[in-house]
Every structure is written in C-alpha cells, then in structure tokens.
Amino acid sequence: MAKITFANTGKTYECATGKSFMEFCDESGAPHDFGCTVGSCGTCVCVVEPAGNVSPISKDEKDTVEMCTSTAGARLGCQFQVLGDIVVRPA
Ligand code: FES
C-alpha cells in the first residue's frame, strides 16, 4: 500500500500500489477535481512529490500540463499510477 497525502487538507489515504490516482479518488472520495478524464482539459493538474513515486509522464500529458501551468513537476491526476507514498499539492 502507498500513502497519499493531500497538502491542502493534510489528510492521508491508503492506496494500492500501481493503482490509477483517478480511480483511487473515485473510490475513496478523496478531494481532487477531474473533468475530461483523458488528459486533455487540465482540470486535474497538480504537483506530486516525490515525482519518482508515480508512473512517468508521457509526451501527451506533458503537452497538456504545459498548456495549464508553468509549475515544475506538475502532472495530470487522470494520467498517472501511484507507485509509492506521495504528497499531492495544487499546481
Ligand atoms: S481530467 Fe481532464 S486532463 Fe485530467
């Protein structure tokens, strides 16, 4: 299991390692907004630390992130899997 902490609330949840972050949020009611769910709208953009504890960013995800924010390390919540303990912050 991996721990997911939301920096804006300080709340921590447990998530199965390898699970989609979006699926986890759907099932747990964790406080994260999603829109299109396919990596094109940017509603779910966030910063995840450490970056190595989630699946790598794809070129398509990177293109959408760059349209939404200039924050370093930003990711789309609908596009990554949780591989270890992470902290999620607003981007
Ligand atoms: S929900 Fe639209 S990019 Fe993630």
Side-chain angles (χ1 to χ4, degrees):
M1 295 295 266
K3 285 189 171 54
I4 301 178
T5 301
F6 289 82
N8 55 353
T9 64
K11 249 184 130 175
T12 298
Y13 299 77
E14 292 222 320
C15 171
T17 306
K19 192 174 188 75
S20 143
F21 177 72
M22 185 171 66
E23 251 181 67
F24 157 77
C25 290
D26 276 352
E27 291 170 9
S28 67
H32 197 79
D33 292 333
F34 295 92
C36 69
T37 73
V38 294
S40 59
C41 72
T43 303
C44 62
V45 72
C46 56
V47 173
V48 178
E49 296 164 338
N53 278 359
V54 294
S55 55
I57 193 166
S58 68
K59 183 179 179 323
D60 285 349
E61 183 182 346
K62 201 170 175 206
D63 288 347
T64 301
V65 165
E66 285 171 358
M67 287 190 304
C68 303
T69 182
S70 56
T71 304
R75 296 294 306 263
L76 298 176
C78 67
Q79 297 297 300
F80 63 81
Q81 282 78 45
V82 179
L83 305 178
D85 294 358
I86 54 171
V87 176
V88 179
R89 303 179 190 285

